[in-house]
């Protein structure tokens, strides 16, 4: 079925000028051969952060109150809950026949429900699956035992001991009890991140992802829910949305998009709204000819994505057209900037950017086209007061652009016409 994806919050008729319907620039994000990397992507300027996909086993939620713990199942890790016992049976737990136990998976609809949370009694708001929340101490005390296969294929028994004062504590050992390790993941080491990671084989925590405000989409492998009684989850490769930073979407049919406005629509918090099923494999990869995604980024910008090619496991390339339908809307009052102006405007080879700072700061000056593609970027360390920054326009073709000045407290944007 042909599908369109649309983001509420704007009136298309009033915001999409005819010049924005021109052929959008093509962007490529590569996970590499065999999908060896995960790639975090920012819509506003196309910034990518690529990290190795198979160097972690567990991911611990840093922000929020759900204490989600996810498992790198797509890269071979597997989690099993030990039946008929709690963590008091650590030294005597019987793992015979654990391969017949039901494997548990992360949900593919929300970052806040990991595999360790799937056994929770959702009628009890204090049951987090792997432990119970104490309303008095605000600690989570672990009450479950697990067997886990690591991404390197080693089997361990595992218990989550507690989450107290921002620190996850846990213990793991070989199935026979040897090589026991007690370790922790401290939320304070992952400030502004969605998750802190841990490798059981390397016995260390890992700082893998950019801060939450720096990415909107992640190109990654994950376990997709198929609603099949034999194979309920299947390894897929696609795109997940950073709903934890506010990026959201809603799905409509082709006819809905053609005949409706944004009135009455609500955002979709499903992280796999884009997902994987915009492509099909039948001897080769084919893409839907009318699947379109409208995405609202965390900074208030709106973008249209259309996938035009997919390289599969050969090179892991996702090739798509991206159009900026509306730029981020942040006023100078919300930043460290008293005033921002650009002259001359229109300009040809060079332009002057006047910035008046409320306080000393690190400043990033960017020239971005109307699709969101970064043309150039410069960084400065500036003191309080007014500054004139030189902007080289030599790499930009004639057209409308955005001059973006980013400080530690937000960003301000001016339009610039280049002839």
């Amino acid at each position: 079925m042909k599908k369109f994806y649309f983001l509420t919050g704007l009136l298309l008729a009033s915001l999409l000028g005819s010049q924005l319907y021109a052929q959008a620039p093509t962007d490529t994000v590569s996970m590499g051969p065999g999908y060896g990397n995960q790639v975090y992507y920012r819509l506003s300027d196309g910034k990518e952060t690529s990290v190795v996909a198979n160097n972690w086993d567990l991911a611990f939620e840093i922000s929020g109150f759900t204490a989600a713990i996810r498992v790198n199942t797509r890269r071979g890790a597997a989690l099993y809950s030990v039946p008929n016992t709690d963590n008091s049976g650590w030294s005597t737990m019987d793992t015979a026949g654990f391969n017949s136990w039901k494997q548990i998976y992360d949900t593919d609809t929300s970052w806040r429900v990991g595999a360790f949370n799937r056994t929770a009694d959702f009628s009890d708001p204090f049951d987090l699956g792997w432990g119970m929340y104490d309303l008095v101490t605000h600690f989570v005390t672990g009450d479950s035992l697990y067997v886990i296969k690591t991404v390197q294929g080693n089997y361990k028994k595992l218990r989550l001991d507690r989450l107290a004062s921002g620190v996850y504590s846990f213990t793991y050992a070989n199935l026979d009890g040897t090589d026991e390790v007690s370790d922790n993941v401290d939320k304070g080491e992952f400030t502004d991140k969605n998750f802190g990671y841990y490798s059981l084989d390397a016995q260390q925590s890992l700082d893998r992802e950019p801060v939450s405000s720096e990415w909107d989409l992640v190109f990654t492998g994950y376990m997709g829910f198929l609603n099949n009684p034999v194979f309920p989850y299947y390894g897929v490769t696609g795109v997940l949305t950073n709903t934890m930073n506010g990026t959201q979407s809603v799905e409509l049919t082709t006819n809905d998009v053609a005949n409706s406005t944004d009135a009455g629509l609500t955002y979709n918090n499903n992280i796999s709204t884009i997902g994987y099923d915009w492509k099909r494999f039948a001897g080769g990869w084919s893409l839907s000819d009318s699947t379109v995604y409208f995405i609202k980024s965390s900074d208030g910008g709106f973008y249209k994505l259309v996938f035009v090619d997919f390289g599969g496991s050969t090179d892991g390339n996702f090739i798509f057209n991206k159009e900026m339908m509306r730029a981020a809307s942040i006023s100078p009052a919300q930043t460290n900037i008293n005033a921002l102006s650009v002259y001359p405007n229109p300009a040809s080879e060079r332009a002057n950017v006047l910035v008046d700072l409320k306080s000393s700061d690190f400043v990033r000056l960017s020239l971005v086209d109307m699709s969101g593609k970064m043309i150039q970027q410069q960084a400065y360390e500036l003191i309080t007061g007014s500054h004139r920054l030189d902007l080289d326009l030599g790499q930009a073709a004639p057209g409308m652009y955005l001059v973006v000045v980013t400080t530690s407290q937000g960003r301000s944007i001016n339009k610039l016409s280049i002839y």
Side-chain angles (χ1 to χ4, degrees):
M1 181 181 71
K2 297 179 181 179
K3 297 181 291 183
F4 273 75
Y5 290 77
F6 183 78
L7 263 289
T8 186
L10 75 165
L11 294 170
L12 285 178
S14 64
L15 293 178
L16 306 186
S18 60
Q19 73 275 13
L20 294 181
Y21 283 103
Q23 180 64 40
T26 298
D27 202 353
T28 299
V29 170
S30 179
M31 292 177 60
Y35 311 123
N37 299 313
Q38 291 176 292
V39 183
Y40 296 88
Y41 183 85
R42 186 166 62 190
L43 287 163
S44 62
D45 56 11
K47 179 182 178 181
E48 299 179 22
T49 303
S50 183
V51 293
V52 175
N54 66 350
N55 65 348
W56 64 280
D57 298 296
L58 306 175
F60 296 84
E61 183 183 15
I62 301 304
S63 62
F65 303 97
T66 52
I69 305 176
R70 300 177 69 86
V71 179
N72 196 1
T73 311
R74 183 65 176 91
R75 287 293 165 173
L79 184 70
Y80 307 87
S81 179
V82 180
N84 305 316
T85 189
D86 58 25
N87 57 5
S88 65
W90 173 255
S91 60
T92 58
M93 63 180 286
D94 183 4
T95 60
F98 75 86
N99 283 320
S100 65
W101 301 348
K102 185 177 180 180
Q103 186 177 346
I104 47 181
Y105 297 87
D106 302 326
T107 181
D108 64 349
T109 60
S110 172
W111 296 112
R112 299 192 185 279
V113 182
F116 285 88
N117 309 100
R118 298 299 294 272
T119 57
D121 176 1
F122 291 104
S123 66
D124 183 348
F126 303 111
D127 185 357
L128 302 182
W130 62 268
M132 297 293 294
Y133 175 76
D134 188 307
L135 191 60
V136 177
T137 64
H138 305 295
F139 295 168
V140 181
T141 301
D143 61 4
S144 303
L145 296 181
Y146 301 90
V147 168
I148 187 169
K149 183 180 76 168
T150 71
V151 292
Q152 294 187 18
N154 298 311
Y155 287 89
K156 305 286 184 180
K157 63 177 183 176
L158 170 70
R159 72 170 188 252
L160 282 304
D161 296 316
R162 70 188 60 83
L163 169 58
S165 302
V167 178
Y168 291 92
S169 300
F170 49 92
T171 302
Y172 57 97
N174 295 330
L175 296 185
D176 62 5
T178 59
D179 296 332
E180 182 172 302
V181 175
S182 293
D183 211 339
N184 63 74
V185 168
D186 187 342
K187 288 186 177 185
E189 297 178 1
F190 304 94
T191 303
D192 299 326
K193 307 291 181 77
N194 289 349
F195 290 91
Y197 296 80
Y198 191 87
S199 168
L200 296 169
D201 292 304
Q203 300 183 7
Q204 65 179 8
S205 58
L206 303 166
D207 190 351
R208 301 180 63 258
E209 64 181 47
V211 298
S212 190
S213 62
E214 293 293 309
W215 66 278
D216 299 292
L217 308 174
V218 59
F219 295 73
T220 186
Y222 64 98
M223 301 303 290
F225 179 62
L226 303 183
N227 198 24
N228 182 305
V230 179
F231 299 105
Y233 284 86
Y234 187 76
V236 298
T237 302
V239 184
L240 302 178
T241 306
N242 187 4
T243 57
M244 294 175 81
N245 80 348
T247 301
Q248 298 174 309
S249 62
V250 62
E251 177 181 347
L252 300 179
T253 68
T254 302
N255 289 336
D256 287 334
V257 170
N259 298 319
S260 73
T261 68
D262 65 335
L265 299 181
T266 56
Y267 293 128
N268 188 339
N269 286 308
N270 187 332
I271 64 175
S272 58
T273 293
I274 298 176
Y276 67 92
D277 59 357
W278 43 269
K279 56 185 175 356
R280 294 287 188 274
F281 186 82
W285 290 103
S286 62
L287 279 65
S288 171
D289 60 358
S290 61
T291 302
V292 179
Y293 301 91
F294 287 87
I295 306 169
K296 176 182 179 294
S297 64
S298 62
D299 60 9
F302 291 82
Y303 302 84
K304 182 173 77 171
L305 265 64
V306 179
F307 289 94
V308 297
D309 203 358
F310 179 65
S313 60
T314 301
D315 53 23
N317 287 348
F318 295 71
I319 303 173
F320 54 92
N321 294 333
K322 181 182 73 172
E323 293 183 58
M324 178 185 287
M325 315 307 283
R326 173 179 163 184
S329 177
I330 301 178
S331 69
Q334 295 173 281
T335 72
N336 191 26
I337 299 174
N338 285 314
L340 171 66
S341 62
V342 182
Y343 76 93
N345 193 359
S348 178
E349 297 180 355
R350 311 192 79 81
N352 298 293
V353 180
L354 297 183
V355 182
D356 185 48
L357 291 180
K358 300 175 183 177
S359 61
S360 299
D361 208 339
F362 289 96
V363 173
R364 186 170 67 245
L365 172 63
S366 308
L367 181 66
V368 181
D369 70 16
M370 297 306 290
S371 75
K373 180 180 179 181
M374 175 73 70
I375 305 302
Q376 67 154 294
Q377 183 169 270
Q378 304 165 57
Y380 303 88
E381 184 176 2
L382 303 178
I383 63 174
T384 305
S386 297
H387 304 270
R388 183 179 65 83
L389 308 179
D390 182 57
L391 185 59
D392 183 357
L393 308 178
Q395 301 178 51
M400 185 65 69
Y401 291 82
L402 300 174
V403 176
V404 183
V405 177
T406 305
T407 72
S408 63
Q409 300 176 34
R411 68 182 67 177
S412 295
I413 299 173
N414 270 21
K415 288 185 178 181
L416 171 65
S417 177
I418 299 177
Y419 63 91

